[in-house]
């Protein structure tokens, strides 16, 4: 069966199945199980109202439970076993991992990523949001800076491979160096700094996201506060740092944390740029080195990522509870 | 805020310029890729894409038609013009090996000599030596060779004289059986075309990868929306115990790294017989996309006017009817924005595809194809890589620019409260 036919069939089956489920289950509830027409009409309606939310929620709860809740437990349990999953090794995978140079490098690099990528993207995002605020062509500028968001991490890496290429006839950085008479370098092989070159790809992609949200937040600042500051003689920088930034601090935190999560999960960029060579490994790419080879190790790395995320997750849940 | 007092025009110029600088910085990489994707592969390795509009000095190998062979002393001579009958073109440099295609400037003779030297024990020996010399002069030869042996004399093994207009004279010690291979560095006009796209789409299975990507993306976008919309309605407008906790759990699940799911879910897929397959990746994407979908859609639906929903209920509509007839159509902006997100995410995904799809080349999506295949096998073939990358980002870019309004709206609904 050709993939196109297969694809179309699955859309029909999958989507149709979904619609069918919701439709049929509701009909079943209203007409067969608790029909409102018999003697105890009131009680049946009340019962139906009690059951219906769970009909609506069932597929979502199943999918979420299976793909996101179960794996938290499942991954942890799996990480306690050896490579093939037959022998219980307790925390052996973790102990061994932490004693390894490669893992410690990945952990350290991941730390760099989590610090610098959200900082960089938020900084550039805020800068562009503020600068384009009064510009006539501001919306065009924003669209163009937003554009990398649509590109895959693999595509973006390929784009930047061109920029970073060691050959001065391909890589623009080396072309500029060449123009000033410097010898070509391969940015991907400069120890330590290569991490920052790779991180910038992510900053490049996420700046648009930060910009859009921060720009909306800047618009939301009441004009009176700014006008008052102007009357008091504040210069544009004072207005920006003393009046505007404090008022959008909450949004900055949201943007920052959102990009942090994304950074914690991304593996594609490192995988495409260096394959983790030259000490550029981060935890997700380190995990992929063990995927399909050593499930115990792979799940142990995944669980380390989970542990790092947990504080923010708890903070998130508490925020949501407060809002409800 | 244009009317605010104290706005300085000097500052506005600075603002304009800095935004321009940032936009250029942000665009340059992508433009480089786009330009490269249309260039000829030889030209890409000769000059940077920023010089793409200018002629390129490019080395080509030319095997001229074998004309008459004449003899000149001990040497056999072939002559002609490298540009053939039409004779248009100009030679900047030339050579006789692919190793050094531009070893000599036009208007010179370049040749391989056999230097006659004496061995340590007095035996005569020969050694190859390449050099260029003026057309009507003789080659300068060193007094000693690299090993310090005295040079007694030389014979010409092969020599090529090349004029800037392409006229050449080829001399060779042995009788030529085939036409000589000449290397010429000449100025070529910029060469733009669709040849890279043709190569990538016809001979590299990229078309298959494109279809695979679509096959993954469409169901993986539609199914989670449907499931999430019902769930979001329940969480927004239905009263039941535990609702608050469910919302909180969804918010918490937003940040669960999907890395956790890879091993246990793949094991489960294998156990229940789905294995690595399209069905598996649809399910996986559905699961991973749901928290954001439920979150965005619920936030949106909560904001819908209560009166409409309540009056419909008073009129006797069931929740199912309220949902399908009122809430769903009203939620179109949120549905659209999530659809764009999920589409971009599934289209651009590499990790889930690597894990949940079979690893044979028939099942590769474009990201896997580029990252795992092309970068390895075509690592230095920048034109092909660029074209492949553009094929893979064309659809998301199109969707992005066409539906940007909804995407932004969705971002704002999902992130700022």
């Amino acid at each position: 069966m050709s993939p196109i036919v297969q694809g179309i069939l699955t859309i029909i089956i999958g989507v149709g199945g979904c619609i069918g489920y919701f439709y049929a289950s509701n009909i079943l509830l209203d007409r067969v199980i608790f029909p409102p027409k018999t003697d105890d009409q009131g009680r049946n309606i009340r019962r139906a109202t009690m059951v219906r939310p769970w009909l609506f929620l069932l597929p979502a709860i199943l999918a979420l439970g299976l793909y996101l809740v179960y794996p938290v437990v499942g991954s942890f349990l799996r990480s306690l076993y050896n490579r093939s999953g037959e022998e219980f090794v307790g925390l052996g995978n973790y102990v061994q991992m932490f004693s390894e140079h490669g893992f410690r490098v990945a952990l350290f690099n991941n730390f760099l990523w989590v610090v610098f990528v959200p900082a960089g993207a938020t900084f550039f995002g805020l800068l562009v949001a503020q600068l384009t605020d009064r510009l006539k062509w501001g919306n065009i500028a924003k669209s163009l800076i937003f554009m990398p968001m649509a590109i895959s991490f693999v595509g973006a890496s390929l784009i930047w491979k061109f920029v970073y290429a060691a050959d001065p006839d391909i890589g623009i950085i080396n072309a500029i160096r060449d123009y000033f008479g410097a010898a070509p370098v391969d940015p991907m092989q400069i120890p330590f700094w290569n991490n920052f070159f790779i991180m910038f790809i992510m900053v490049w992609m996420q700046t648009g996201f930060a910009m859009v949200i921060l720009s909306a937040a800047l618009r939301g600042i009441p004009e009176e506060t700014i006008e008052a500051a102007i009357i008091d003689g504040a210069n544009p920088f004072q207005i920006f740092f003393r009046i505007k930034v404090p008022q959008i601090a909450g949004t900055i935190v949201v943007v920052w944390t959102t990009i942090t999560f994304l950074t914690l999960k991304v593996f594609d960029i490192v995988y495409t740029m260096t394959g983790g060579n030259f000490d550029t490994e981060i935890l997700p790419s380190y995990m992929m080195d063990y995927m399909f080879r050593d499930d115990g190790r792979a799940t142990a790395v995944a669980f380390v990522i989970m542990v790092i995320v947990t504080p923010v997750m708890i903070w998130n849940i508490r925020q949501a509870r407060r809002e409800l | 805020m244009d009317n605010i007092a104290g706005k300085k025009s000097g500052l506005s110029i600075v603002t304009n310029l800095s935004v321009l600088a940032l936009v250029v910085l942000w665009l340059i990489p992508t433009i480089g890729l786009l330009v490269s994707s249309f260039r000829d592969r030889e030209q890409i390795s000769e000059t940077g894409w920023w010089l793409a509009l200018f002629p390129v000095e490019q080395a080509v190998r030319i095997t001229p038609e074998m004309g008459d062979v004449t003899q000149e002393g001990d040497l056999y001579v072939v002559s002609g013009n490298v540009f053939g009958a039409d004779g248009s073109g100009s030679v900047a440099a030339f050579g006789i090996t692919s190793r050094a295609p531009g070893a000599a400037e036009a208007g010179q003779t370049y040749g391989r000599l056999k230097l006659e030297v004496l061995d340590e024990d007095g035996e005569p020996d020969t050694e190859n030596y390449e050099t260029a010399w003026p057309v009507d002069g003789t080659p300068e030869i060193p007094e000693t060779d690299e090993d310090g042996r005295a040079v007694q004399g030389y014979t010409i093994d092969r020599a090529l004289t090349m004029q800037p207009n392409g006229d050449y004279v080829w001399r060779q010690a042995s009788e030529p059986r085939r036409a000589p291979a000449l290397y010429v560095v000449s100025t070529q006009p910029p060469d733009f075309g669709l040849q890279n796209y043709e190569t990538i789409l016809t001979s590299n299975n990229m078309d298959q990868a494109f279809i695979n990507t679509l096959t993954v993306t469409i169901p993986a976008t539609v199914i989670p929306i449907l499931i999430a919309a019902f769930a979001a309605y329940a969480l927004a407008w239905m009263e039941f115990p535990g609702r608050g906790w469910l919302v909180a759990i969804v918010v918490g699940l937003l940040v669960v790294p999907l890395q956790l799911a890879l091993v246990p879910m793949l094991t489960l897929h294998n156990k229940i017989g789905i294995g690595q397959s399209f069905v598996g990746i649809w399910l996986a994407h559905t699961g991973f996309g749901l928290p954001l979908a439920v979150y965005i859609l619920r936030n949106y639906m909560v904001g819908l006017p209560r009166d409409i929903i309540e009056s419909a209920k008073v009129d006797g509509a069931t929740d199912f009817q309220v949902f399908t007839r009122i809430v769903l159509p009203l939620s179109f902006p949120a549905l659209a924005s999530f659809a764009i997100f999920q589409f971009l995410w599934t289209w651009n995904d590499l990790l889930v595809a690597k894990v949940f799809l079979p690893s044979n080349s028939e099942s590769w999506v474009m990201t896997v194809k580029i990252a795992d295949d092309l970068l390895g096998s075509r690592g230095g073939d920048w034109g092909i890589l660029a074209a492949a990358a553009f094929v893979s980002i064309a659809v998301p870019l199109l969707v992005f620019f066409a539906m940007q309004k909804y995407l932004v709206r969705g971002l704002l609904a999902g992130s700022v409260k």
Side-chain angles (χ1 to χ4, degrees), chain B residues 173-352:
Chain B
S174 56
E175 185 171 358
R177 298 212 188 91
R178 290 176 286 125
L182 312 179
Y183 293 86
V184 167
V185 176
S186 67
T187 308
Q188 306 279 326
D191 184 0
F192 287 103
L194 293 171
Q195 62 272 44
N196 292 326
Y197 288 92
E198 240 174 82
T199 315
I200 198 73
L201 286 176
T202 53
S203 62
N204 267 289
N205 265 342
M206 194 67 174
D207 47 349
Q208 172 86 47
F210 190 90
I211 293 171
N212 287 344
T213 309
L214 271 177
T215 316
V216 169
T217 309
I218 296 175
T221 306
V222 180
I223 295 174
I225 291 186
L226 242 138
I227 296 180
F230 276 94
Y233 176 79
L235 292 175
W237 289 108
M238 290 164 124
E239 296 290 337
F240 60 92
R243 187 173 76 156
W245 277 109
L246 272 179
V247 176
I249 289 171
V250 168
V251 172
L253 290 178
L254 275 173
V255 301
V256 170
L258 68 84
Q259 267 90 1
L260 275 180
L262 301 183
V263 172
M265 287 323 290
L266 188 59
T267 316
L268 190 72
H269 279 187
N270 284 333
K271 252 185 217 155
I272 60 175
I274 300 175
Q276 288 179 309
S277 67
F278 282 99
V279 177
I281 198 171
W282 290 319
L283 289 174
H285 274 309
T286 302
F288 300 143
L290 264 184
L292 187 67
V294 176
Y295 182 65
I296 289 182
L297 293 178
R298 182 195 160 267
N299 276 358
Y300 187 88
M301 288 179 186
V302 161
L304 293 175
R306 180 172 283 273
D307 318 353
I308 303 179
I309 292 159
E310 278 177 358
S311 57
K313 280 193 182 166
V314 169
D315 288 347
T318 65
D319 271 311
F320 189 71
Q321 287 164 329
V322 172
F323 173 73
T324 48
R325 306 254 170 90
I326 300 172
V327 172
L328 213 51
L330 282 178
S331 304
F332 177 74
L335 293 171
S337 91
F338 174 73
I340 301 165
F341 263 120
Q342 180 75 1
F343 177 81
L344 290 180
W345 158 245
T346 47
W347 185 281
N348 290 335
D349 158 77
L350 171 70
L351 180 59
V352 180

Side-chain angles (χ1 to χ4, degrees), chain A residues 10-11 22 26 66-67 75 134 137 143 146 150 152 159 169-170 175 204 230 254 261 265 271-272 306, chain B residues 4 7 16 26 29 46 48 50 218 230 255 259-260 269 282-283 320 348 354 372 375 382 396 400 404 415:
Chain A
T10 324
I11 296 174
F22 286 115
N26 277 282
L66 206 54
Y67 280 87
S75 262
R134 295 183 218 161
W137 57 292
S143 284
F146 196 32
S152 63
I159 288 175
D169 285 325
I170 291 166
W204 178 75
I230 292 172
V254 170
F261 297 137
K265 298 178 197 173
Y271 183 80
T272 318
M306 180 67 208
Chain B
I4 286 179
K7 208 187 105 188
N16 269 298
W26 245 248
E46 285 302 322
W50 49 93
I218 296 175
F230 276 94
V255 301
Q259 267 90 1
L260 275 180
H269 279 187
W282 290 319
L283 289 174
F320 189 71
N348 290 335
K354 264 182 81 71
D372 280 0
L375 274 174
W382 295 100
F400 174 79
Q404 203 177 4
S415 297

